[in-house]
Amino acid sequence: MKIAFLGDIALIGKYNLNNNPNVRDEIEYLKKILKNYDYRIANLESPLTERKSTFVCKSMHLKSSVVNVGVLKYLGIDAVTLANNHIMDFGRKGLEETINVLENAKIKWYGIDGKELLIEKQGQKISFSGFCCYSTNGTGYCKTNNGKGINLLTEESVFCQLKKDEKRNAFSVLSIHWGMEHTNYPAYEHICLVKKIAMKKPVIIHGHHPHVIQGISNINNSLIMYSQGNALFDDCKSINGKFEVALNENNRKSFVMEVTIDHNKIQDYKEIGFYMGDIEIEPYNIQEELLEASKKIQDIKNIGQYERLRKEQFQKVINEKFGKHNIQWLISKMNYYAIGAKIQTYFRERMYKKEVKKFIRK
């Protein structure tokens, strides 16, 4: 069975059919890449809803009109993970509208309310499950496997899923939303967690959230993609129109990961790079950059030095995107959404620190 994995999709800006009726023509190259696969998986990060307002406290809210499910259909997307930090930006009602739109379009989903996806094709049984980490500062997390909300990334939740998959002889695919945005270096604690997972059973880890590519790893017959970057994304504007995050060159580079699975084993894989140009999706040779990123995580000798590299790159990008935090910036942050988001961030960081101790524990 041949599967195509994609990174982050937000059908906003020029990828919103209401803004740009030529979207299909401009993503034709990506459609050509995807046409010859048995199954296509992506991370859907913009809720598909017509809701105009929200009480959810975020500095940046994402959403897209329901008409844009047509873009997913055009690309041939078979299933999406909803376990990410933006899918609840317009509350539970926005999420439920998204789910209804996907189901009406015959697109499968997982990663919410404890839901997984189990498919059987060509005699191969594959389980897809999604998890969102506290590190992404999402909202609407659910800690239990049978509760309502975004499936939370914990060591317990992942190993519970692996045990379940093992009992029914299903190959495990874990879609995980994690890490820090705008850096090509995955978090050290996530590298530790990956090693523990891979030693349990062979898996594919389909990582996303950083909006830039990160390295890939092969451990004990497992394939780990920490981040594939943006598949379809555009500049983001805040709900009040006062705050904007523009794409940089690093945000425009991505790749489709082609994986062939047979008899519960990864038989082959390859990366197909592409670039989000100003007008259309273009071919792009990603191999050299991906190889360089992968080397960085192979054998980390100095954890402190590695973490400094991550934080320095993140801070450099933030400074480039937003400039200095002057009085105007401070005033723009004095609103319900920004203040509420800051308070929630404080508590989520505390909860994340508790989980990190488990991730790095031997």
Side-chain angles (χ1 to χ4, degrees):
M1 183 177 176
K2 191 177 290 187
I3 305 175
F5 292 92
L6 294 94
D8 298 317
I9 290 181
L11 300 172
I12 59 176
K14 67 181 179 182
Y15 298 116
N16 182 339
L17 285 166
N18 289 338
N19 300 335
N20 178 12
N22 299 317
V23 173
R24 291 179 179 87
D25 293 336
E26 294 172 7
I27 62 174
E28 178 67 21
Y29 178 70
L30 185 56
K31 178 180 172 64
K32 287 179 179 178
I33 294 176
L34 296 174
K35 68 179 181 179
N36 294 319
Y37 292 93
D38 300 306
Y39 219 71
R40 290 152 285 259
I41 297 286
N43 170 49
L44 178 62
E45 211 155 348
S46 57
L48 299 170
T49 177
E50 300 303 335
R51 294 181 68 80
K52 304 297 183 186
S53 60
T54 177
F55 291 106
V56 175
C57 290
K58 300 283 291 292
S59 59
M60 184 67 69
H61 299 79
L62 299 183
K63 84 179 187 78
S64 185
S65 171
V66 299
V67 70
N68 290 296
V69 74
V71 177
L72 300 178
K73 291 291 290 182
Y74 179 72
L75 289 175
I77 302 299
D78 294 286
V80 293
T81 173
L82 301 181
N84 59 62
N85 64 318
H86 283 291
I87 204 64
M88 291 279 280
D89 280 5
F90 284 77
R92 184 75 201 185
K93 290 184 179 179
L95 169 64
E96 289 173 353
E97 187 176 4
T98 302
I99 289 171
N100 288 335
V101 170
L102 291 171
E103 290 182 345
N104 288 337
K106 309 298 186 202
I107 297 174
K108 304 290 186 182
W109 58 276
Y110 60 96
I112 298 287
D113 299 343
K115 189 174 185 298
E116 60 174 323
L117 173 62
L118 184 66
I119 66 168
E120 292 189 54
K121 278 181 174 287
Q122 302 172 2
Q124 178 70 54
K125 191 183 293 185
I126 302 179
S127 162
F128 297 88
S129 54
F131 306 91
C132 185
C133 185
Y134 278 134
S135 62
T136 68
N137 200 27
T139 189
Y141 290 106
C142 180
K143 293 183 179 181
T144 62
N145 289 334
N146 55 2
K148 294 287 187 179
I150 301 171
N151 297 355
L152 176 64
L153 176 66
T154 66
E155 185 175 302
E156 292 82 1
S157 62
V158 169
F159 279 89
C160 179
Q161 182 66 47
L162 295 182
K163 186 175 181 180
K164 184 177 180 181
D165 294 344
E166 201 164 27
K167 283 184 177 179
R168 57 192 178 183
N169 194 33
F171 186 88
S172 300
V173 174
L174 309 176
S175 291
I176 305 180
H177 208 67
W178 55 5
M180 181 188 291
E181 294 178 319
H182 312 304
T183 174
N184 301 107
Y185 306 98
Y188 177 74
E189 58 265 26
H190 294 150
I191 296 173
C192 294
L193 177 62
V194 158
K195 291 177 180 177
K196 294 167 78 170
I197 293 171
M199 296 312 294
K200 181 69 175 177
K201 73 186 291 284
V203 301
I204 291 172
I205 293 182
H206 167 222
H208 27 82
H209 175 66
H211 301 296
V212 296
I213 68 161
Q214 293 181 344
I216 61 175
S217 295
N218 294 277
I219 305 170
N220 196 32
N221 300 315
S222 292
L223 175 63
I224 298 93
M225 303 163 278
Y226 287 96
S227 173
Q228 292 177 255
N230 292 322
L232 294 178
F233 227 96
D234 202 2
D235 299 346
C236 301
K237 291 185 178 179
S238 64
I239 200 167
N240 60 10
K242 295 181 179 179
F243 181 53
E244 183 172 354
V245 182
L247 297 179
N248 62 19
E249 280 299 294
N250 220 7
N251 298 140
R252 294 174 179 271
K253 302 168 185 177
S254 188
F255 63 96
V256 172
M257 179 61 87
E258 173 187 304
V259 187
T260 302
I261 302 173
D262 189 33
H263 292 89
N264 279 14
K265 291 183 179 180
I266 299 170
Q267 302 295 338
D268 193 20
Y269 68 88
K270 70 175 182 179
E271 314 88 24
I272 305 169
F274 62 92
Y275 179 86
M276 290 190 298
D278 290 333
I279 303 298
E280 60 187 12
I281 302 293
E282 305 167 1
Y284 184 79
N285 188 343
I286 199 79
Q287 271 67 36
E288 186 175 336
E289 291 172 60
L290 193 55
L291 179 61
E292 184 64 27
S294 301
K295 287 179 179 178
K296 300 282 188 186
I297 57 176
Q298 292 303 319
D299 187 18
I300 299 172
K301 304 290 188 186
N302 188 317
I303 300 169
Q305 184 180 53
Y306 176 80
E307 285 299 313
R308 281 193 297 275
L309 283 174
R310 293 181 68 237
K311 292 173 183 176
E312 285 172 2
Q313 185 185 20
F314 170 78
Q315 197 58 56
K316 179 181 178 182
V317 174
I318 293 301
N319 291 342
E320 290 171 350
K321 284 179 179 282
F322 307 122
K324 294 182 179 180
H325 292 175
N326 53 25
I327 188 66
Q328 287 80 14
W329 176 88
L330 181 61
I331 292 172
S332 72
K333 287 293 184 179
M334 300 301 290
N335 59 66
Y336 164 79
Y337 293 122
I339 294 172
K342 189 67 175 177
I343 294 170
Q344 291 180 348
T345 298
Y346 170 75
F347 288 105
R348 290 187 191 118
E349 286 177 348
R350 292 184 65 182
M351 291 185 285
Y352 180 58
K353 287 177 181 178
K354 292 180 181 179
E355 291 301 325
V356 165
K357 293 178 181 178
K358 301 175 186 176
F359 292 168
I360 63 177
R361 182 177 58 201
K362 296 292 186 180

